[in-house]
Amino acid sequence: MKVTHQKLPDSQIALEIEISGQVSQTTYEKVVKDLSRSANIPGFRRGKVPRNILLQRLGKERVKAAALEEIIQTSIKDAIEQEAIESLGNFQLRSDFDELVEQFKPGEAIIFSASVDVPPTVKLGDYQSLSVTAEAIAYDPQKVEDWLQDLREKQATLVPVEDCPAALGNVVIGDYEGYHVSESGGVGDPIPEVQGIDLRVDLEPGRFIEGMVEGIVGMSLEETKEIPLKFPEDYPLEAVAGKEVIFRLTLKELKAKELPALDDEFAEEVSEFETIAELRESREKQVQEEAEKATKSNIETQIIQELRKICSVDLPETLVNQEINEILTQILIEWQQMGIEVQKLVNADTIPEMRKSTRPDAIAKLQQNLILKEVAAAESLTVTEEALEARIQEVLPQLSQESVDLDKLREILEQELLQQKTLDWLQEQIKVELVPEGSLSQAEAETTAVSESDEEE
């Protein structure tokens, strides 16, 4: 068997394989013999069908195609071994199969072309000279106050209000009905999906549909009021999504919130701390850590984006498809956990579109993983056995209810730790400029606006 090969784009190797006449004859005879044993032809026992009858009944072209398929499968495998090619186990026939069948003559040499996917190649740019700009997430003390206020809201006592109209901060209970807007602008047909009793509405700005809280403020007990509302386009209830609705509400109960004091007694009731000072200090530390993690994440995102610009990765289609499969599998698992009936969403029509929309994410993830792996190899960065074992022991309790493949888990966690170690190393080596939160998104929006303006002109 003669084999020549050359590099192709997308991490593929092209093979041109020449099969000798002896091999083509031997394989053809073997296929005829196998078909003779398995063919069920009326009037003949299996294995006793005369050769000319077999070829006549099955058709010479079919027999040639079967022999050619075996030649291609076997010879590609042998060629990969002969040329010591590190294949990913996937090949494609580049020659036209029907033309090969037409040309194929047992006892004569045959030449065909195929391609195999090989591990991707990564070319690193000058990653040590990178400079990135990332948004710094500042510690916001207001988040601590908002958190404490939320705790107070949850522990609030509701006290009936009788002599005052509804005000911001109150809680109202009422019965409601929804109506379409008539052509004249008045109350139209009722909307069966929008009706109920004992609806609770916390009168806080930004709650519910825009205009609803504002419409309730000022109402008195037992009053019925019609509030015009415009539901958002993405509202989950199709009957009212994007539509104008008249919301009729009868106010049955009106209550004011009595919030507990922020004292040591409150801290003991809602937490493991004995004093409000300890509770506040704990939350301040959490918010500071969250801000630091968010800043670190922003830096890492920018590093990865810049690495993808200066490094090239030749990705084989085999790996891209595998990554798409993994992403979609995870998405479907999450949907099921959310109670979504996956069977109704996934079918022969939706799968191709789902694969197409997932492809950019799959490619980006592969590029990130492969580039970081290559940087780690170039800088001799490794994960210690102690660090890996500690991470495994940290994760295992979370998987105690599942069947765990420890070898696979070890592989995944080692890659995770190595990536983080590589990103930490890069952050120490390169120049990082931190800018206030929102700066980059604002700059990007301005750039987009200018581009769109230029296109319009």
Side-chain angles (χ1 to χ4, degrees):
M1 180 174 64
K2 296 180 181 179
V3 181
T4 58
H5 62 84
Q6 64 176 1
K7 185 80 171 63
L8 294 177
D10 301 327
S11 276
Q12 287 188 324
I13 298 291
L15 301 172
E16 185 172 89
I17 303 173
E18 181 177 347
I19 303 301
S20 68
Q22 180 181 356
V23 172
S24 74
Q25 183 68 53
T26 302
T27 306
Y28 181 80
E29 295 300 329
K30 176 181 176 296
V31 168
V32 171
K33 191 174 182 179
D34 291 343
L35 288 173
S36 176
R37 290 172 179 168
S38 61
N40 185 14
I41 296 179
F44 298 93
R45 287 184 297 166
R46 289 177 186 260
K48 299 297 182 180
V49 183
R51 182 188 182 96
N52 62 327
I53 298 296
L54 179 73
L55 295 177
Q56 180 183 0
R57 293 294 182 89
L58 296 181
K60 292 182 179 181
E61 295 301 306
R62 177 182 171 185
V63 177
K64 284 169 61 177
L68 194 58
E69 283 183 1
E70 183 158 330
I71 288 172
I72 291 171
Q73 293 279 355
T74 303
S75 58
I76 290 178
K77 180 181 178 181
D78 292 343
I80 290 172
E81 293 180 0
Q82 176 181 307
E83 302 300 310
I85 296 172
E86 189 181 356
S87 168
L88 292 178
N90 186 40
F91 76 85
Q92 291 181 324
L93 182 65
R94 303 183 76 204
S95 301
D96 185 274
F97 185 75
D98 291 335
E99 290 182 4
L100 289 176
V101 172
E102 186 178 340
Q103 297 167 5
F104 178 49
K105 294 180 182 179
E108 293 186 7
I110 185 167
I111 300 174
F112 68 91
S113 297
S115 63
V116 295
D117 286 348
V118 295
T121 54
V122 180
K123 293 182 180 179
L124 296 176
D126 186 10
Y127 56 87
Q128 292 186 346
S129 299
L130 276 182
S131 62
V132 299
T133 303
E135 292 184 357
I137 308 303
Y139 163 68
D140 183 0
Q142 185 59 43
K143 290 184 178 180
V144 177
E145 301 308 318
D146 292 344
W147 180 78
L148 290 171
Q149 181 66 18
D150 186 54
L151 283 181
R152 294 179 72 201
E153 294 277 352
K154 291 176 180 178
Q155 300 295 318
T157 301
L158 297 181
V159 179
V161 175
E162 296 180 356
D163 301 327
C164 298
L168 287 176
N170 290 164
V171 174
V172 300
I173 307 292
D175 298 341
Y176 68 95
E177 298 170 333
Y179 296 87
H180 291 294
V181 178
S182 67
E183 292 184 1
S184 62
V187 176
D189 296 331
I191 306 172
E193 296 90 343
V194 184
Q195 59 180 331
I197 61 174
D198 296 336
L199 171 70
R200 169 173 170 158
V201 181
D202 289 55
L203 299 182
E204 304 291 344
R207 292 284 188 98
F208 300 96
I209 305 302
E210 183 179 354
M212 184 171 175
V213 169
E214 292 78 3
I216 296 175
V217 169
M219 289 182 65
S220 301
L221 278 173
E222 305 302 330
E223 179 183 352
T224 297
K225 185 177 181 180
E226 293 172 356
I227 305 170
L229 301 175
K230 174 66 182 294
F231 281 74
E233 296 288 345
D234 59 353
Y235 195 75
L237 185 59
E238 186 177 350
V240 295
K243 297 179 181 178
E244 294 184 357
V245 172
I246 293 177
F247 193 84
R248 179 180 291 166
L249 177 75
T250 299
L251 199 155
K252 296 166 59 178
E253 297 180 45
L254 174 59
K255 299 180 180 181
K257 293 180 181 179
E258 284 191 356
L259 303 180
L262 283 175
D263 54 20
D264 295 346
E265 183 180 345
F266 174 77
E268 284 189 290
E269 185 175 349
V270 300
S271 72
E272 71 275 21
F273 298 104
E274 295 181 354
T275 67
I276 191 66
E278 291 174 325
L279 176 60
R280 185 185 295 275
E281 182 182 358
S282 172
R283 185 55 185 169
E284 287 174 349
K285 183 178 179 182
Q286 289 179 3
V287 173
Q288 287 171 344
E289 289 175 350
E290 289 169 1
E292 291 169 1
K293 287 180 181 179
T295 300
K296 190 174 191 302
S297 177
N298 286 345
I299 294 171
E300 291 174 353
T301 297
Q302 294 301 318
I303 289 175
I304 290 168
Q305 287 183 0
E306 293 303 315
L307 283 174
R308 291 181 60 206
K309 291 178 183 178
I310 66 170
C311 303
S312 64
V313 183
D314 206 15
L315 285 175
E317 195 63 21
T318 299
L319 286 188
V320 174
N321 285 325
Q322 287 176 357
E323 190 63 36
I324 290 173
N325 292 341
E326 289 187 15
I327 292 176
L328 288 179
T329 298
Q330 187 59 41
I331 290 173
L332 296 181
I333 290 174
E334 291 174 359
W335 283 359
Q336 286 181 323
Q337 292 173 342
M338 293 167 60
I340 298 174
E341 295 186 48
V342 174
Q343 295 82 354
K344 292 184 178 181
L345 298 176
V346 180
N347 52 54
D349 295 326
T350 61
I351 287 177
E353 187 58 38
M354 290 174 68
R355 294 188 68 84
K356 181 180 178 181
S357 62
T358 306
R359 186 179 178 86
D361 291 337
I363 290 174
K365 185 177 179 181
L366 283 170
Q367 289 175 338
Q368 169 186 324
N369 293 345
L370 291 166
I371 291 171
L372 291 176
K373 182 179 180 181
E374 194 70 16
V375 171
E379 300 299 333
S380 301
L381 302 176
T382 58
V383 175
T384 65
E385 185 62 28
E386 293 79 9
L388 177 56
E389 189 59 34
R391 180 60 177 150
I392 291 173
Q393 295 307 315
E394 181 183 348
V395 170
L396 271 179
Q398 305 170 27
L399 307 173
S400 57
Q401 303 301 318
E402 304 174 23
S403 177
V404 179
D405 183 338
L406 287 176
D407 291 336
K408 183 64 175 177
L409 178 63
R410 173 176 286 269
E411 178 186 337
I412 292 172
L413 294 181
E414 184 174 15
Q415 177 181 321
E416 172 192 294
L417 290 173
L418 184 59
Q419 284 195 5
Q420 189 58 60
K421 187 171 186 177
T422 305
L423 284 168
D424 291 343
W425 182 89
L426 283 166
Q427 188 170 337
E428 293 174 357
Q429 303 300 315
I430 69 177
K431 179 182 177 182
V432 177
E433 179 187 0
L434 293 176
V435 296
E437 183 178 0
S439 302
L440 296 181
S441 54
Q442 181 179 353
E444 183 179 346
E446 291 174 353
T447 301
T448 301
V450 170
S451 300
E452 292 176 351
S453 176
D454 292 342
E455 289 177 3
E456 291 176 0
E457 293 177 1

